Amino acid sequence: MKLVFATNNHNKLKEVQALVPDHIELLSLSDIGCNEDIPETQPTIEGNAIQKAEYLVKHYGYNCFADDTGLEVEALEGDPGVYSARYAGPQRNSEDNMNMLLGNLKDKSNRNAHFKTVVALHLNGELKTFTGICKGEITTEKHGDKGFGYDPIFKAEGYDKTFAQISLEEKNKIGHRGKAVQQLIVFLNNL
Ligand code: IMP
């Protein structure tokens, strides 16, 4: 069975391909000739993941799954959340986003936050979602140069290093995306 993963990141694709049953062949967006920006206009992370998966089914007719991720900060009522990529503006710049978040948390003692990934799977006309959460806190300064996005200012619960200071393997084990993808893989293995 062919299953589209709504990504063009070939590392992500290879990683997940190694974990799914052999009879499932994962295809990237470029494999199916999808080069346009898929709309992500919903007000929730879950809504955006579903919107992307439904778009692919409607326009390309493949079974597929799509993910969407956001950082939800307790003291900011869940912001930046679904707006994580463009928190500081349409330039979608990680440094600007982190500076904005650190500024908005300057006077706050509650620095609790979590990353949330939702994977939406569209399989034979049925929709299923898998959610991965990684709890932690926002540091007061940036630390580390690994990873991407908000990694330099996010420390997972029980860790004294930020996501930008730990290895990718370790991040995948405890991280939001890894947890959501693990649930997807269990589901696909039990089909
Ligand atoms: P996306 O849905 O995976 O594109 O994620 C949306 C935005 O959330 C990204 O542009 C990043 O700013 C942020 N983000 C997502 N995943 C991570 C992560 O693992 N570490 C840090 N930031 C992330």
Side-chain angles (χ1 to χ4, degrees), residues 107-127:
D107 307 321
K108 312 274 189 200
S109 53
N110 177 2
R111 304 191 70 93
N112 293 340
H114 60 257
F115 276 110
K116 175 166 147 183
T117 294
V118 175
V119 170
L121 170 71
H122 224 294
L123 190 67
N124 305 330
E126 292 209 23
L127 182 70

Side-chain angles (χ1 to χ4, degrees), residues 68-69 84-85 115 148-151 171 176-177:
D68 198 53
T69 298
S84 294
F115 276 110
F148 71 102
Y150 296 89
D151 281 347
K171 183 182 163 190
H176 41 293
R177 203 171 298 95

Side-chain angles (χ1 to χ4, degrees), residues 73 76 79-81 83-93 96-102 104-105 150:
V73 179
L76 303 176
D79 276 351
Y83 305 107
S84 294
R86 55 206 140 106
Y87 191 40
Q91 71 278 19
R92 294 173 168 255
N93 180 278
D96 294 351
N97 289 339
M98 285 191 286
N99 291 338
M100 173 113 173
L101 183 54
L102 289 176
N104 288 344
L105 281 178
Y150 296 89

Side-chain angles (χ1 to χ4, degrees), residues 5-166:
F5 181 3
T7 183
N8 270 324
N9 180 332
H10 278 266
N11 288 322
K12 266 197 199 175
L13 195 80
K14 258 173 61 183
E15 245 178 60
V16 180
Q17 178 70 70
L19 299 170
V20 298
D22 286 345
H23 65 92
I24 294 177
E25 180 193 351
L26 290 190
L27 303 175
S28 68
L29 291 174
S30 59
D31 288 337
I32 60 165
C34 174
N35 299 309
E36 68 268 27
D37 279 337
I38 302 176
E40 296 179 53
T41 53
Q42 297 304 304
T44 61
I45 295 166
E46 183 176 50
N48 272 342
I50 292 172
Q51 183 180 26
K52 286 188 266 186
E54 287 184 336
Y55 178 93
L56 288 174
V57 172
K58 184 166 168 210
H59 292 88
Y60 294 87
Y62 281 96
N63 286 323
C64 66
F65 63 93
D67 67 338
D68 198 53
T69 298
L71 175 63
E72 299 185 324
V73 179
E74 227 171 73
L76 303 176
E77 277 110 45
D79 276 351
V82 73
Y83 305 107
S84 294
R86 55 206 140 106
Y87 191 40
Q91 71 278 19
R92 294 173 168 255
N93 180 278
S94 293
E95 284 299 316
D96 294 351
N97 289 339
M98 285 191 286
N99 291 338
M100 173 113 173
L101 183 54
L102 289 176
N104 288 344
L105 281 178
K106 218 156 94 198
D107 307 321
K108 312 274 189 200
S109 53
N110 177 2
R111 304 191 70 93
N112 293 340
H114 60 257
F115 276 110
K116 175 166 147 183
T117 294
V118 175
V119 170
L121 170 71
H122 224 294
L123 190 67
N124 305 330
E126 292 209 23
L127 182 70
K128 194 148 177 48
T129 58
F130 307 91
T131 302
I133 302 254
C134 181
K135 287 189 190 171
E137 61 180 42
I138 305 299
T139 54
T140 51
E141 288 169 8
K142 298 170 199 159
H143 297 285
D145 52 14
K146 297 189 177 72
F148 71 102
Y150 296 89
D151 281 347
I153 59 168
F154 182 82
K155 245 181 355 191
E157 219 168 58
Y159 279 70
D160 57 7
K161 289 179 178 165
T162 68
F163 266 177
Q165 293 174 300
I166 63 174

